[in-house]
Amino acid sequence: MTDNNAISIHNLVKYYRNRFLALKNISFEVNEGEFFGFLGPNGAGKTTTINILTGLANFNEGTVRVFGHDVMKDYRETRKLIGLVPQEFNFDPYLSIEQILIYEGGYFGIPRKTCRDRARALLNEFGLYEKRNQDYRRLSGGMKRRLLIARALIHEPKILILDEPTAGVDLELRHRLWQFFRDLNARGRTIFLTTHYIEEAERLCSTIGVIHRGQIVAFNEKNRLIREISGHWVVVELRQPLKALSEELTRFGVTLGREGKVLRFQEQAGVTPGVMKEIHRLGLEIARLDVRKATLEDTFIKLTGFKDSFEGDLDSMRMAADEE
Ligand SMILES: Nc1ncnc2c1ncn2[C@@H]1O[C@H](COP(=O)(O)OP(=O)(O)O)[C@@H](O)[C@H]1O
Ligand SMILES: [Mg+2]
């Protein structure tokens, strides 16, 4: 059985040790060729979902298919269709960098000669060719990341799953990796990216699923998701400053900034007319009015209550930059 969906997950339930409910009945589909962003705070269930997709973890209920093949019944088939870039480095320390790729290819039943050719091409592409005979432990953090990606591609999988591929990576490498992921996607690979960096998903992904505490809380084409959940921001500049927000303005979620001269709120059904009425009632004069689109981050905060951005990772980014 095959179908157009690269990935389809239906009513998936997963308990850890029959006690902790990590995935509470999740369902979604990812189409072939899509750049899908699976977003969620730490501990939401992203890696658990990936482990199930790649056969590394079992589950309690539901069906999980990769190009129509059941991940439990057709494990070998589905595993071949996926290239996995795990969250943590998990290389065999006794192999050289080139051998790491060749062994991985062997695991998928690819002839040794083909493996060697592909390994060299990939190492070249990732700027690791000169290091091919080295021990991976001598690579910088950024190089290890690139090696993880090269290894995931050795069997030419149709789907690439990236589990937080730029966590702790410095900005320059992050931008290079993004470009690389875009190219892979443009050449037809389906990409399943998990991240807690909103900006990463905002820049790369066409479709977004948000997981929070083991539940899918939103799933949509990116711009529709933002529009439907967060709508727009309205910014009202006043001629005279307002000392404090009235009860009514607070109720509409209005915030006051810039010396009391700027009101800001999120447009939703009924909010804008209500705020305008209140502004009028307070006898305030409007100098300027601005409307801007909400961002994915606004939406993420609304859905999960988490504010997450690159800033929280600055220290680890600096460490990675030092290494490189
Ligand atoms: N092997 C495990 N045993 C028990 N609980 C686990 C295990 N792995 C993950 N969990 C728990 O399951 C939840 C989801 O974890 P995970 O899928 O790793 O989240 P994410 O990748 O979104 O950060 C977390 O509460 C985590 O503590
Ligand atoms: Mg994870």
Side-chain angles (χ1 to χ4, degrees):
M1 185 186 143
T2 54
D3 58 40
N4 270 340
N5 291 319
I7 291 169
S8 65
I9 295 178
H10 286 286
N11 303 112
L12 175 61
V13 176
K14 160 78 181 172
Y15 284 90
Y16 278 111
R17 297 190 198 95
N18 296 320
R19 275 209 318 245
F20 177 72
L21 183 54
L23 298 176
K24 306 169 183 170
N25 198 340
I26 70 169
S27 301
F28 63 89
E29 286 167 357
V30 178
N31 294 329
E32 181 165 19
E34 208 153 32
F35 202 133
F36 172 64
F38 199 37
L39 236 64
N42 281 325
K46 303 182 296 296
T47 299
T48 300
T49 306
I50 288 177
N51 287 346
I52 289 170
L53 275 167
T54 51
L56 295 169
N58 60 7
F59 53 94
N60 301 82
E61 284 171 41
T63 53
V64 181
R65 292 177 188 280
V66 174
F67 286 102
H69 301 282
D70 190 287
V71 295
M72 296 292 268
K73 287 191 216 116
D74 304 327
Y75 166 72
R76 289 195 145 267
E77 195 56 45
T78 56
R79 188 61 190 85
K80 271 188 200 170
L81 294 164
I82 297 175
L84 172 65
V85 177
Q87 199 170 346
E88 315 282 346
F89 300 123
N90 59 350
F91 300 116
D92 184 334
Y94 299 103
L95 300 176
S96 73
I97 286 158
E98 183 173 356
Q99 282 171 333
I100 285 174
L101 299 192
I102 293 173
Y103 269 61
E104 181 79 3
Y107 172 77
F108 289 104
I110 299 162
R112 199 173 167 83
K113 167 81 173 69
T114 313
C115 286
R116 181 175 304 259
D117 293 346
R118 282 191 197 166
R120 297 215 164 154
L122 284 166
L123 291 174
N124 208 17
E125 196 169 350
F126 283 89
L128 295 168
Y129 189 79
E130 309 302 319
K131 311 252 177 199
R132 68 187 180 283
N133 295 319
Q134 276 188 20
D135 181 332
Y136 90 86
R137 284 170 293 194
R138 288 175 55 200
L139 296 180
S140 70
M143 288 173 174
K144 284 180 195 153
R145 272 286 144 205
R146 301 204 298 264
L147 181 60
L148 272 185
I149 300 167
R151 187 185 62 180
L153 295 169
I154 192 81
H155 59 294
E156 302 188 333
K158 289 173 86 170
I159 303 174
L160 185 62
I161 297 186
L162 304 162
D163 197 356
E164 314 237 7
T166 65
V169 161
D170 70 89
L171 266 184
E172 198 203 319
L173 176 62
R174 178 170 288 161
H175 282 267
R176 263 167 47 211
L177 291 176
W178 285 349
Q179 195 48 51
F180 193 76
F181 299 153
R182 278 194 201 99
D183 290 346
L184 282 169
N185 180 243
R187 282 184 267 152
R189 255 194 195 88
T190 307
I191 299 196
F192 184 113
L193 167 81
T194 84
T195 185
H196 65 273
Y197 293 134
I198 314 309
E199 188 195 341
E200 182 160 280
E202 181 140 43
R203 285 183 185 222
L204 297 175
C205 301
S206 46
T207 304
I208 303 273
V210 181
I211 184 168
H212 183 41
R213 300 200 177 110
Q215 282 179 303
I216 302 291
V217 292
F219 189 97
N220 216 327
E221 186 275 319
K222 179 179 60 195
N223 292 316
R224 279 186 69 167
L225 180 97
I226 296 170
R227 202 165 56 236
E228 285 176 15
I229 293 176
S230 298
H232 289 80
W233 284 104
V234 181
V235 181
V236 181
E237 251 176 66
L238 302 172
R239 280 203 197 287
Q240 304 86 21
L242 178 66
K243 279 203 194 72
L245 291 168
S246 68
E247 223 170 87
E248 188 76 351
L249 288 176
T250 306
R251 205 169 58 79
F252 284 123
V254 177
T255 59
L256 188 60
R258 222 189 298 154
E259 282 119 41
K261 279 188 140 177
V262 175
L263 300 175
R264 202 166 169 272
F265 61 94
Q266 258 175 318
E267 157 58 12
Q268 272 167 341
V271 170
T272 306
V275 172
M276 290 303 152
K277 222 187 227 166
E278 178 66 1
I279 286 175
H280 185 73
R281 192 187 68 82
L282 293 167
L284 299 169
E285 259 184 278
I286 294 174
R288 226 167 74 97
L289 195 133
D290 230 358
V291 178
R292 76 158 178 81
K293 268 170 72 179
T295 62
L296 189 58
E297 181 166 24
D298 296 328
T299 311
F300 186 77
I301 292 169
K302 203 157 191 173
L303 289 167
T304 66
F306 278 82
K307 182 160 171 49
D308 222 331
S309 66
F310 287 123
E311 277 99 74
D313 245 40
L314 262 184
D315 285 338
S316 56
M317 269 159 56
R318 275 195 207 104
M319 277 159 57
D322 291 343
E323 268 185 70
E324 183 81 322

